[in-house]
């Protein structure tokens, strides 16, 4: 393999067949180029999809209660289902290790006033973990903490646009806001990736909202993230389990499809994975078809080169070259040409991706790129291609009888 | 060293078959220097190629240094060629992109000798044919006589039991022919067995034994008084 004589011969043969080597090398390089570009595009689509989550946790699960559509356990259809704090406590108690963060939400529409300015907003009552589930950036002040939730403090974290509406240029931190007749202290301002709707909302401790509005333990939804080490299948299994026990707990028919709505991001991901998997397979198929053309081309050039070198092979055999040594020489040359040209194709593709990749940021397509597994796969494909392409000519060369070879010119 | 009995060889050409060697009995002792003569087409090269295991016999037997040469697979044949035989061709058959030393070292490469040792030994043999200073020259930079001396060094470097030369002087003028024959005689003096195909009688006279072929049979086989080539150079 690292034999200087063999390499000397390979370089000689390439130097003497520059054009032919280039043309066939080109076809292999082109094949790999297309393969890498296709796979990178599939990656781009995947990235595009993932980006649509913004910076929110991609492993999130949301549960909403609706009305039943099936009669069950003596209840008629159409019964309204209400989640309470106890549902969240139940998950905390029974699904340790399945979830990562969990929070209830309590939603209220309110009107808020500061000095002369008023406006209507959505207040979302959450706990301190919520910021890990729906990620926001604190611009000023601080996030809600566990103490706020425990003490049912009348504090709020305002969206950037709320501050803009009510406070104009004033610094809102520590100021008091009048909300439906009570007074809340502003402790922070958040922004959320240009999401106007989110930035026009307000966070407060869910406990405070529950106490102020009817002193109930009702909640509007349960939000959580699943264990990030879970596979998609495990994640889906987790939300299925929760749905199942809640249906039993709340006396909902197991067949009822809409009383509890579960939104699991893993769902989208598993569809996406299936889809991009299909695209990947297709890309590899197309790439390999193109590569085959390259392989045939290289096989062809090698048959030519060997024909030209028949006499030399005869001389070598007269000097005691074994067929396996001739075989090795030809195969190595073939693998060398395919690998080098393939790598060039791959480098060009990666260069182009490196330049234009970061520039592309459409909603459905973002940062097309190749990962190391693609590079390794392509390399293996190339070496195997080289072996396949070289096999026929190499066998032919190894088998040629010395007397026949010597008398040819 | 070489023992041939009732050797037959024909070439098939389409539906015809050309019977080239028609029952040859022939043996060579160690240290002999044999000339094989005969008119064109008499089968000299065919015989030499069979002796050199470049071609196969149809009928008869061939023993080389006590080893029967028959139905060998290519790998085994390659090993025997590498160990037992050295070839010199009329057209030199040097590899044109390898310099003189690399050409000489090639049989050693197939003996799997390490590179450094190969080069040292190749240089030693180049020195023996008087071409040490030409070690790094390509064949295209050498004269015909020099090329043939490189070829002889290459044939001898593996220390074969038998050196086979098919018209080694066929492409050379008479002066260089004698130089080459001088070299061959010196190699023979050291005890090497050598067979030379030639149709020049002055070359044949420089051997110790002359075998005449005609139409595929041995017409005459006689020992001769060797003429030393050194008298002419
Ligand atoms: N590969 C082959 N296929 C068919 N016929 C062949 C082959 N090699 C040699 N012959 C024929 O066999 C006969 C003997 O050939 P050979 O080469 O042994 O002759 P030679 O004595 O060496 O002649 P020359 O002095 O011209 O070299 C010739 O008639 C030749 O045409
Ligand atoms: Mg001949």
């Amino acid at each position: 393999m690292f034999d200087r004589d063999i390499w000397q011969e390979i370089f000689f043969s390439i130097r003497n067949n520059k054009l032919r080597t280039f043309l066939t090398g080109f076809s292999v390089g082109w094949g790999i180029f297309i393969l890498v570009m296709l796979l990178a595009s599939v990656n781009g689509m995947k990235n595009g999809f993932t980006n649509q989550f913004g910076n929110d946790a991609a492993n999130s699960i949301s549960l909403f209660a609706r009305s039943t559509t099936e009669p069950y356990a003596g209840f008629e259809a159409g019964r309204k289902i209400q989640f309470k704090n106890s549902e969240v406590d139940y998950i905390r108690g029974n699904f340790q290790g399945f979830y990562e963060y969990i929070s209830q939400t309590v939603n209220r529409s309110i009107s808020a006033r500061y000095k002369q300015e008023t406006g209507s907003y959505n207040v979302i009552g959450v706990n301190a973990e919520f910021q890990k589930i729906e990620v926001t950036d604190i611009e000023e002040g601080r996030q809600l903490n566990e103490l706020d939730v425990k003490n049912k403090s009348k504090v709020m974290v305002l969206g950037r646009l709320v501050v803009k509406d009510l406070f104009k240029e004033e610094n809102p931190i520590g100021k008091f806001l009048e909300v439906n007749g009570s007074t809340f202290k502003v402790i922070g301002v958040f922004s959320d990736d240009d999401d106007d709707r989110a930035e026009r909302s307000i966070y407060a401790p869910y406990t405070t909202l529950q106490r102020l509005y009817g002193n109930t333990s009702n909640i509007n939804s349960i939000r959580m993230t699943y264990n990030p080490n879970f596979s998609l299948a495990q994640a889906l299994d987790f939300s299925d389990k929760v749905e199942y026990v809640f249906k039993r707990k709340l006396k909902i028919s197991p067949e009822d499809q809409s009383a509890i709505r579960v939104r699991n991001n893993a769902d989208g991901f598993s569809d996406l994975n299936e889809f991009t998997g299909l695209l990947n397979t297709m890309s590899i198929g197309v790439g390999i078809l193109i590569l085959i053309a390259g392989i045939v081309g290289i096989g062809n050039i090698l048959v030519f080169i060997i024909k030209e070198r028949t006499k030399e092979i005869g001389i070598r055999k007269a000097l005691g070259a074994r067929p396996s040594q001739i075989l090795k020489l030809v195969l190595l040359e073939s693998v060398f040409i395919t690998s080098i040209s393939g790598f060039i194709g791959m480098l060009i593709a990666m260069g182009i991706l490196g330049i234009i990749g970061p520039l592309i940021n459409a909603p459905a397509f973002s940062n097309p790129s190749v990962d190391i597994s693609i590079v390794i796969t392509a390399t293996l494909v190339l070496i195997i291609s080289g072996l396949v392409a070289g096999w026929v000519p190499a066998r032919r060369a190894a088998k040629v009888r010395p007397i026949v070879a010597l008398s040819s010119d | 060293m070489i023992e041939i009995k009732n050797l037959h060889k024909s070439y098939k050409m389409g539906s015809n078959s050309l019977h080239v060697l028609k029952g040859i009995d022939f043996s060579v002792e160690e240290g002999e220097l044999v000339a094989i003569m005969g008119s064109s087409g008499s089968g000299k090269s065919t015989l030499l190629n069979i002796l050199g295991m470049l071609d196969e016999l149809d009928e008869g037997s061939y023993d080389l240094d006590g080893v029967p040469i028959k139905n060998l697979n290519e790998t085994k044949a390659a090993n025997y060629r590498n160990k037992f035989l050295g070839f010199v061709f009329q057209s030199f058959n040097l590899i044109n992109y390898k310099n003189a030393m690399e050409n000489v070292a090639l049989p050693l490469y197939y003996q799997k000798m390490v590179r450094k040792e190969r080069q040292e030994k190749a240089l030693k043999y180049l020195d023996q044919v008087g071409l040490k200073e030409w070690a790094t020259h390509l064949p295209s930079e050498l004269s015909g006589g020099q090329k043939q001396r490189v070829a002889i060094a290459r044939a001898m470097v593996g220390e074969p039991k038998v050196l086979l030369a098919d018209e080694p002087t066929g492409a050379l003028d008479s002066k260089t022919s004698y130089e080459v024959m001088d070299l061959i005689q010196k190699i023979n003096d050291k005890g090497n067995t050598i067979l030379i195909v030639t149709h020049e009688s002055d070359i044949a006279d420089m051997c110790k034994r002359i075998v005449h072929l005609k139409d595929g049979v041995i017409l005459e086989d006689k020992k001769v008084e060797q003429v030393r080539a050194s008298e002419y150079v």
Side-chain angles (χ1 to χ4, degrees):
Chain A
M1 191 73 175
F2 301 102
D3 183 318
R4 222 155 99 188
D5 299 69
I6 286 198
W7 289 110
Q8 185 193 21
E9 279 157 33
I10 288 173
F11 288 130
F12 168 79
S13 128
I14 289 173
R15 219 178 306 130
N16 275 282
N17 295 282
K18 276 199 200 93
L19 183 64
R20 266 193 243 147
T21 308
F22 170 78
L23 288 176
T24 45
F26 182 83
S27 59
V28 166
W30 181 239
I32 283 288
F33 177 83
I34 302 251
L35 181 66
V36 170
M37 288 305 245
L38 284 174
L39 290 175
S41 305
V42 175
N43 246 353
M45 290 179 53
K46 209 169 171 176
N47 290 342
F49 188 87
T50 312
N51 276 0
Q52 301 198 330
F53 291 111
N55 53 7
D56 294 339
N59 55 335
S60 83
I61 297 175
S62 313
L63 293 153
F64 304 91
R66 302 254 194 84
S67 298
T68 58
T69 54
E70 309 259 342
Y72 188 69
F75 295 105
E76 293 195 6
R79 175 171 57 105
K80 176 142 181 35
I81 303 297
Q82 177 66 57
F83 283 160
K84 295 182 188 296
N85 289 342
S86 59
E87 265 72 57
V88 175
D89 296 339
Y90 184 85
I91 294 177
R92 282 194 199 276
N94 294 286
F95 288 99
Q96 274 298 332
F98 287 78
Y99 71 90
E100 187 186 20
Y101 302 109
I102 186 164
S103 170
Q104 47 274 79
T105 71
V106 175
N107 297 5
R108 283 283 172 278
S109 295
I110 51 106
S111 65
R113 188 171 71 80
Y114 179 74
K115 290 183 180 165
Q116 307 308 320
E117 305 294 336
T118 58
S120 302
Y121 305 99
N122 235 356
V123 185
I124 307 164
V126 296
N127 69 13
E129 286 176 37
F130 187 79
Q131 57 202 262
K132 302 281 181 35
I133 302 168
E134 197 151 289
V135 180
T136 51
D137 301 315
I138 280 293
E139 306 249 290
E140 272 171 277
R142 62 170 179 86
Q143 297 270 28
L144 294 173
N145 62 28
E146 282 173 32
L147 221 58
D148 299 326
V149 177
K150 191 165 163 257
N151 296 340
K152 305 177 183 174
S153 311
K154 298 210 287 186
V155 294
M156 284 182 157
V157 179
L158 306 183
R160 194 177 57 83
L161 295 176
V162 177
V163 174
K164 210 170 144 198
D165 287 351
L166 301 179
F167 289 87
K168 309 293 176 204
E169 301 298 302
E170 227 178 294
N171 181 357
I173 304 298
K175 303 280 159 51
F176 290 89
L177 207 58
E178 204 189 303
V179 176
N180 293 6
S182 346
T183 322
F184 278 78
K185 186 180 179 185
V186 178
I187 57 167
V189 177
F190 71 88
S191 63
D192 189 2
D193 289 334
D194 306 318
D195 181 344
D196 284 3
R197 206 178 51 82
E199 291 185 335
R200 217 175 275 287
S201 56
I202 299 173
Y203 290 123
Y206 76 93
T207 48
T208 315
L209 295 187
Q210 283 178 338
R211 180 170 61 95
L212 283 178
Y213 299 101
N215 204 13
T216 65
S217 65
N218 290 353
I219 61 176
N220 291 78
S221 73
I222 301 169
R223 306 285 303 272
M224 56 184 166
T225 56
Y226 57 80
N227 182 337
N229 300 323
F230 272 9
S231 69
L232 295 178
Q234 282 174 307
L236 292 170
D237 194 47
F238 168 41
S239 60
D240 286 349
K241 271 196 185 117
V242 172
E243 188 180 349
Y244 176 77
V245 297
F246 278 16
K247 277 180 173 170
R248 289 191 52 173
K249 207 165 160 276
L250 301 166
K251 303 211 165 36
I252 300 166
S253 160
E255 266 75 60
D256 199 323
Q257 296 301 319
S258 62
I260 296 178
R261 219 179 103 62
V262 179
R263 220 167 53 209
N264 190 338
N265 274 354
D267 242 334
F269 273 119
S270 74
D271 287 351
L272 176 76
N273 273 5
E274 219 166 82
F275 180 60
T276 52
L278 186 73
L279 282 181
N280 261 334
T281 313
M282 278 167 53
S283 310
I284 290 173
V286 170
I288 284 185
L289 285 182
I290 298 171
L291 264 182
I292 287 175
I295 292 172
V296 172
I298 293 211
N300 212 15
I301 181 189
L302 285 169
V303 168
F304 251 107
I305 291 176
I306 280 156
K307 210 164 211 154
E308 272 171 19
R309 286 171 68 181
T310 308
K311 178 144 198 176
E312 185 194 318
I313 290 170
I315 299 170
R316 287 166 183 279
K317 288 200 155 179
L319 298 179
R322 284 184 290 283
S324 60
Q325 289 168 311
I326 305 278
L327 193 80
K328 184 170 142 195
L329 177 67
V330 179
L331 283 183
L332 212 56
E333 176 168 337
S334 169
V335 170
F336 181 74
I337 298 177
T338 41
S339 302
I340 291 292
S341 41
F343 271 119
I344 291 173
M346 190 148 74
L347 284 180
I348 293 176
M350 286 164 77
I352 291 177
L353 288 170
I355 294 166
I356 65 160
L359 303 178
I360 303 176
N361 209 339
F365 195 87
S366 152
N367 193 19
S369 59
V370 282
D371 47 37
I372 190 75
S373 68
I374 294 182
V375 175
I376 292 171
T377 311
T379 308
L380 287 179
V381 166
L382 281 174
I383 291 175
I384 293 169
S385 309
L387 288 175
V388 171
W391 186 250
V392 171
R395 288 277 302 172
R396 193 179 282 189
K399 268 211 214 129
V400 65
R401 290 182 41 226
I403 184 67
V404 176
L406 276 170
S407 54
S408 82
D409 12 43
Chain B
M1 181 62 58
I2 288 174
E3 183 95 37
I4 275 185
K5 291 207 184 89
N6 192 31
L7 171 66
H8 283 268
K9 174 78 187 174
S10 346
Y11 288 110
K12 290 188 183 47
M13 302 163 70
S15 54
N16 298 6
S17 146
L18 183 66
H19 201 175
V20 180
L21 298 180
K22 305 166 182 166
I24 292 194
D25 294 288
F26 174 60
S27 59
V28 179
E29 300 301 315
E30 189 165 357
E32 280 199 273
L33 176 50
V34 183
I36 299 171
M37 293 194 73
S39 58
S40 185
S42 56
K44 306 182 294 289
S45 296
T46 306
L47 176 61
L48 202 76
N49 288 338
I50 289 171
L51 293 177
M53 296 169 60
L54 297 175
D55 208 349
E56 278 157 16
L57 52 84
D58 291 340
E59 215 179 286
S61 68
Y62 170 26
D63 286 20
L64 175 59
D65 200 29
V67 182
I69 305 299
K70 198 154 195 188
N71 298 331
L72 299 175
N73 67 29
E74 258 299 321
T75 305
K76 220 170 202 153
N79 277 336
Y80 285 162
R81 282 198 286 269
N82 192 246
K83 269 198 279 202
F84 291 163
L85 302 164
F87 293 95
V88 175
F89 305 93
Q90 177 173 3
S91 53
F92 322 127
N93 281 349
L94 299 176
I95 293 176
N96 56 13
Y97 58 90
K98 287 181 177 286
N99 68 30
M101 181 186 65
E102 288 163 343
N103 263 289
V104 174
L106 201 54
L108 303 176
Y109 172 73
Y110 291 124
Q111 283 177 5
K112 300 194 164 152
M113 194 182 273
V114 298
R115 190 178 171 84
K116 202 169 139 53
E117 248 178 88
R118 266 192 337 250
Q119 292 184 336
E120 275 168 13
K121 198 161 179 199
L123 275 180
K124 189 178 126 196
Y125 274 81
L126 268 183
D127 196 24
Q128 284 181 13
V129 299
L131 289 175
K132 198 176 184 183
E133 291 79 62
W134 297 82
T136 58
H137 287 251
L138 290 176
S140 56
E141 298 160 351
L142 302 176
S143 72
Q146 286 173 324
K147 278 187 218 177
Q148 198 58 299
R149 276 146 67 194
V150 172
I152 290 170
R154 185 178 66 180
M156 293 308 298
V157 76
E159 288 161 4
K161 296 191 191 300
V162 178
L163 177 65
L164 301 170
D166 194 349
E167 309 205 29
T169 59
L172 306 175
D173 62 36
S174 56
K175 183 170 176 294
T176 32
S177 291
Y178 296 147
E179 283 168 9
V180 166
M181 280 314 291
D182 184 37
L183 186 59
I184 287 176
Q185 285 179 337
K186 281 177 180 149
I187 292 168
N188 177 247
D189 291 345
K190 290 183 196 153
N192 291 287
T193 313
I194 303 178
L195 277 77
I196 298 174
V197 166
T198 182
H199 50 242
E200 294 161 88
S201 52
D202 54 341
I203 299 296
D205 288 339
M206 292 174 179
C207 298
K208 295 172 175 168
R209 174 179 164 193
I210 300 177
V211 175
H212 260 279
L213 280 189
K214 190 170 188 242
D215 297 331
V217 291
I218 294 180
L219 196 67
E220 190 187 20
D221 184 346
K222 61 169 194 235
K223 303 238 170 196
V224 291
E225 194 58 40
Q226 187 181 37
V227 176
R228 294 302 294 196
S230 51
E231 291 167 25
Y232 296 90
V233 291

